[in-house]
Amino acid sequence: MDKQSEQRREYLYSNLSNQLNRLKMNFEQLDKNMAVLKEQAELSQRLAISHASMFIGSKGVFENNSTKQDA
């Protein structure tokens, strides 16, 4: 191999190494983001259940209240 092709090869391998390191960092960040997303999804589910419970409870109260007022 001549010197120019060897330099080109080293450059390409160096570039590939940099890209693989960036990909690794991106996957690590993705893992962190997925952990946060999982936690947020669980909290959102709990909040939705809480809201549904309050809605169902308040519906019964309002229905009882309107029945008493009609009587």
Side-chain angles (χ1 to χ4, degrees):
M1 258 190 214
D2 64 342
K3 185 173 177 149
Q4 186 178 10
S5 63
E6 182 65 30
Q7 287 176 339
R8 175 79 175 147
R9 184 177 173 186
E10 286 178 19
Y11 168 77
L12 291 174
Y13 277 118
S14 174
N15 192 26
L16 178 61
S17 176
N18 290 336
Q19 289 178 359
L20 290 173
N21 284 332
R22 283 183 56 204
L23 181 62
K24 180 184 173 211
M25 289 178 4
N26 287 342
F27 275 121
E28 289 169 354
Q29 185 63 46
L30 178 63
D31 285 341
K32 291 175 187 175
N33 290 345
M34 291 300 290
V36 170
L37 176 65
K38 179 181 180 267
E39 181 182 356
Q40 289 176 343
E42 290 169 354
L43 292 173
S44 293
Q45 183 181 21
R46 289 173 58 190
L47 182 62
I49 291 169
S50 175
H51 282 165
S53 298
M54 286 188 289
F55 176 75
I56 291 170
S58 65
K59 182 180 176 199
V61 170
F62 287 127
E63 285 176 353
N64 288 341
N65 207 10
S66 68
T67 306
K68 288 178 184 177
Q69 288 177 356
D70 291 342

